[in-house]
């Protein structure tokens, strides 16, 4: 594409993206298409002859936008609400334009050192100890996989050479709470420990890992000849955003001499905010911590950070330099290919660097506080309404609640089905998008605030739609007498 043509299309697409942001509320949050719609709208072979780029751009409006679920929409309250903020979007374009492949320092000194600087900034904002080093991966799942690979390296020092099968290694075990994220399961599976190596510890009534149950599990397993490898504590669980007692768990990990990984994918950024200093307790004792700027730090997907004071163990587990990648600087510089499985790295630090500069730490803190305020406000409406009940504390920006009044006519209403029906009804409006989880064996509605465009009016609308759905559904669900 000649530069003049590039310039023309680039300007058109900037207009397109700016218009998309301006008009975001005209789109249905949750894509209202049926499975196969996108596939059927497209030919099943790539074009034999060049097509005008205008036609590609036209298909964005015709096919892509209607089939996109709009994570940028202020009514997005499902899972964890996120934001692809403009400074991040712009820098992602620059990242593609520069097309850096930062496997070695010399293949991109800029990406290698900007990652180091930006993660140092983030670590200092989160009040993490100075000896901590960071590395960027795509997602928390991969950050956790690398953390547990390091834990395995420590527990079985020759695992890199000899593997785990057919040898003198006892069964290995990893511990996490019953509310820990499924990425921990996937990590033990991928690392060859076997899914049964993951022991999920029961939680208390605030959904935090029971430390006494963890202690009991460890001594039971030690007595049975099992070798504990790691404990995964969570700061901000995925279902209810509960927080494990990292300080107490760290003391146990230290005594047992096993790796402590802290999954703070969502809530870790709150360590920046002074009122939330309590979540920092024990983080200085962790062997690794994952935090996702693509979750609650306005960074376009994807960008996850693994912090660890023991990056040497990750390097020990994975570094490998074939002849064709040896450079005169080897040893004197940090080569990103040494800190994990993947060789090539793209220039992700650029967007986080720009975001921290554009908003400034105060700007970031103010927005995080506002999201927490909105969640508290929504929780207060739930608490005041006899037709709903709140099911979990709201430490951050997520509210878990359920409808409990399914209409008087039903003798023993199936509240799980009723809550699913309410969520469906609200989501079909296209104005908001809510998701669910299960707590105490019950289906609950989850409302997550985290998008920069979300204002109080969007929460008021979500609440009104929930009230309407409850009223309509209760009357419809009533049996005809
Ligand atoms: C979202 C989340 C993850 C997974 O994040 P990805 O980046 O999508 O892999 C892991 N742990 C917790 C606690 C999460 O909330």
């Amino acid at each position: 594409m000649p530069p003049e043509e590039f310039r023309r299309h680039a300007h058109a697409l900037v207009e397109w993206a700016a218009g998309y942001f301006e008009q975001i509320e005209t789109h249905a949050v949750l894509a209202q298409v049926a499975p196969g719609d996108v596939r059927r709208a497209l030919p099943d072979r790539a074009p034999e002859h060049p097509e005008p780029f205008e036609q590609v751009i036209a298909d964005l409006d015709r096919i892509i936008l209607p089939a996109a679920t709009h994570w940028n929409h202020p009514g997005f309250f499902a899972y964890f609400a996120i934001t692809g903020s403009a400074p991040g979007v712009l820098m992602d374009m620059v990242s593609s334009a520069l097309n850096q492949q930062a496997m070695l320092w010399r293949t991109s000194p800029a990406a290698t050192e900007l990652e180091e600087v930006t993660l140092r900034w983030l670590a200092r904002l989160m009040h993490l100890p100075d000896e901590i080093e960071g590395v960027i991966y795509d997602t928390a799942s991969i950050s956790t996989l690398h953390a547990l690979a390091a834990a395995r390296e420590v527990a079985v020092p020759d695992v890199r050479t000899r593997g785990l099968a057919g040898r003198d290694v006892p069964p290995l075990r990893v511990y996490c709470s019953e509310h820990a994220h499924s990425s921990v399961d996937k990590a033990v599976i991928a690392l060859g420990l076997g899914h049964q190596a993951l022991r999920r510890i029961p939680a208390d009534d605030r959904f935090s890992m029971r430390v006494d149950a963890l202690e009991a599990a460890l001594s039971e397993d030690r007595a049975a000849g099992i070798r504990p490898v790691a404990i995964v504590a969570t700061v901000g669980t995925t279902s209810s955003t509960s927080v494990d007692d990292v300080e107490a768990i760290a003391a146990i990990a230290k005594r047992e001499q096993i790796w402590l990984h802290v999954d703070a994918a969502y809530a870790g950024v709150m360590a920046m905010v002074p009122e939330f200093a309590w979540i920092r307790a024990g983080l200085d004792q962790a062997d690794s911590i994952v935090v996702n700027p693509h979750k609650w730090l306005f960074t376009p997907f994807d960008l996850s950070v693994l912090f660890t004071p023991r990056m040497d163990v990750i390097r020990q587990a994975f570094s490998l330099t074939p002849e064709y990648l040896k450079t005169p600087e080897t040893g004197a510089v940090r080569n990103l290919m040494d800190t994990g499985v993947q060789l090539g790295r793209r220039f992700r630090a650029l967007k986080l660097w720009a975001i921290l500069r554009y908003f400034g730490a105060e700007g970031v803190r103010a927005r995080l506080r506002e999201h927490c305020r909105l969640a508290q406000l929504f929780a207060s409406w739930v608490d005041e309404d006899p037709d709903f009940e709140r099911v979990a504390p709201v430490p951050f920006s997520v509210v878990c609640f359920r409808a409990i009044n399914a209409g008087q006519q039903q003798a023993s209403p199936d509240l799980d089905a009723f809550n699913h029906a309410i969520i469906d009804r609200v989501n079909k409006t296209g104005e908001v998008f809510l998701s669910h989880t299960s707590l105490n064996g019950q289906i609950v509605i989850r409302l997550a605030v985290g998008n920069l465009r979300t204002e109080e009016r969007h929460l008021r609308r979500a609440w009104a739609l929930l009230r309407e759905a409850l009223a309509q559904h209760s009357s419809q669900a009533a049996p005809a007498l």
Side-chain angles (χ1 to χ4, degrees):
M1 191 182 275
E4 266 321 305
E5 194 187 334
F6 174 79
R7 193 168 275 124
R8 187 159 53 82
H9 295 314
H11 283 301
L13 280 173
V14 167
E15 275 306 314
W16 183 88
Y20 168 66
F21 289 145
E22 276 167 355
Q23 314 265 309
I24 187 71
E25 291 188 55
T26 64
H27 298 285
V29 197
L30 176 60
Q32 312 276 309
V33 290
D37 282 357
V38 177
R39 199 174 351 107
R40 277 191 296 274
L42 292 164
D44 59 5
R45 276 172 209 277
E48 193 60 33
H49 303 290
E51 285 186 48
F53 200 69
E54 284 82 357
Q55 280 180 22
V56 182
I57 296 180
D59 278 353
L60 296 178
D61 288 320
R62 191 171 67 88
I63 303 168
I64 303 301
L65 267 190
T69 289
H70 295 285
W71 291 74
N72 286 312
H73 194 296
F76 191 108
F77 298 121
Y79 315 113
F80 282 106
I82 59 174
T83 313
S85 68
V89 172
L90 295 172
M91 285 300 162
D92 248 357
M93 189 175 82
V94 174
S95 168
S96 288
L98 291 175
N99 202 24
Q100 297 292 282
Q101 202 281 43
M103 57 182 175
L104 296 165
W105 177 84
R106 66 159 49 186
T107 64
S108 185
T112 307
E113 294 188 19
L114 192 71
E115 178 163 325
E116 195 177 335
V117 170
T118 306
L119 297 188
R120 172 65 53 218
W121 288 5
L122 182 61
R124 293 220 161 115
L125 286 172
M126 290 174 60
H127 302 266
L128 297 176
D130 265 350
E131 65 270 20
I132 229 158
E133 212 184 312
V135 58
I136 295 176
Y137 298 117
D138 55 359
T139 57
S141 308
I142 300 303
S143 296
T144 292
L145 177 74
H146 283 89
L148 293 183
R152 187 185 65 161
E153 190 74 13
V154 173
V156 187
D158 58 358
V159 66
R160 169 177 168 140
T161 310
R162 297 182 59 205
L164 290 171
R167 54 171 300 193
D168 57 334
V169 177
L172 305 174
R173 194 146 280 179
V174 173
Y175 304 80
C176 67
S177 112
E178 58 174 308
H179 293 287
H181 190 263
S182 56
S183 52
V184 184
D185 300 67
K186 288 203 181 180
V188 300
I189 294 167
L191 290 168
L193 308 188
H195 202 183
Q196 66 186 21
L198 185 63
R199 183 157 180 178
R200 284 186 173 267
I201 306 298
D204 62 20
D205 57 3
R206 297 176 68 83
F207 311 109
S208 305
M209 189 183 338
R210 271 181 44 208
V211 175
D212 61 326
L214 172 66
E215 295 255 27
L218 280 160
S219 45
E220 182 184 271
D221 286 351
R222 289 254 191 227
I226 291 167
R227 186 182 296 172
V229 170
I231 307 171
V232 179
T234 310
V235 173
T237 57
T238 310
S239 277
S240 71
T241 73
S242 60
V243 178
D244 290 339
D245 185 345
V246 178
E247 210 163 23
I249 295 168
I252 296 171
K254 187 167 212 159
R255 190 193 67 212
E256 298 278 335
Q257 295 191 313
I258 56 178
W259 194 278
L260 173 63
H261 176 58
V262 177
D263 182 353
Y266 153 71
V269 290
M270 290 308 287
M272 292 186 200
V273 182
E275 308 90 279
F276 288 80
W278 58 272
I279 71 159
R280 296 176 201 150
L283 292 187
D284 58 337
Q285 302 296 310
D287 293 294
S288 54
I289 302 165
V290 56
V291 57
N292 273 2
H294 71 220
K295 209 161 238 173
W296 204 8
L297 197 49
F298 325 136
T299 307
F301 201 76
D302 48 16
L303 199 166
S304 174
V305 176
L306 184 71
F307 283 121
T308 173
R310 304 178 73 181
M311 199 67 85
D312 55 310
V313 182
I314 293 188
R315 293 202 174 92
Q316 196 179 303
F318 293 113
S319 63
L320 189 78
T321 311
E323 183 54 40
Y324 46 83
L325 293 178
K326 288 188 178 140
T327 70
E329 305 89 35
T330 301
V333 294
R334 162 181 149 130
N335 290 320
L336 287 174
M337 69 170 190
D338 292 333
T339 40
V341 174
Q342 76 182 93
L343 174 70
R345 306 282 178 129
R346 65 196 195 87
F347 199 168
R348 289 195 182 86
L350 204 48
K351 54 189 170 182
L352 181 55
W353 176 63
I355 284 165
L356 292 176
R357 293 179 63 178
Y358 179 82
F359 292 99
E362 263 321 307
V364 170
R365 287 188 201 106
R367 285 159 177 94
L368 296 176
R369 283 189 184 106
E370 173 64 3
H371 289 164
C372 294
R373 183 190 75 82
L374 291 174
Q376 290 298 339
L377 181 66
F378 188 89
S380 73
W381 300 336
V382 172
D383 290 346
E384 287 159 15
D385 192 319
D387 291 340
F388 288 88
E389 74 177 0
R390 193 150 57 78
V391 185
V394 181
F396 307 109
S397 70
V398 172
V399 186
C400 292
F401 61 103
R402 65 190 320 236
I404 49 172
N405 181 5
Q408 276 88 28
Q409 288 92 338
Q410 282 177 289
S412 57
D414 178 351
L415 284 180
D416 284 354
F418 183 60
N419 278 275
H420 271 306
I422 287 181
I423 294 172
D424 276 351
R425 201 179 267 268
V426 165
N427 288 347
K428 284 214 175 78
T429 66
E431 290 187 62
V432 299
F433 178 26
L434 298 169
S435 59
H436 74 277
T437 190
S438 165
L439 290 172
N440 299 327
Q442 299 174 323
I443 293 300
V444 305
I445 307 175
R446 230 174 129 279
L447 179 135
V449 184
N451 185 278
L452 285 180
R453 294 183 185 84
T454 299
E455 299 166 23
E456 200 170 307
R457 66 185 167 95
H458 300 105
L459 285 156
R460 291 198 184 280
R461 186 66 190 141
W463 184 235
L465 289 171
L466 280 158
R467 293 272 343 150
E468 266 169 47
L470 177 128
Q472 286 171 0
H473 202 82
S474 308
S475 59
Q476 272 178 20
L481 291 173

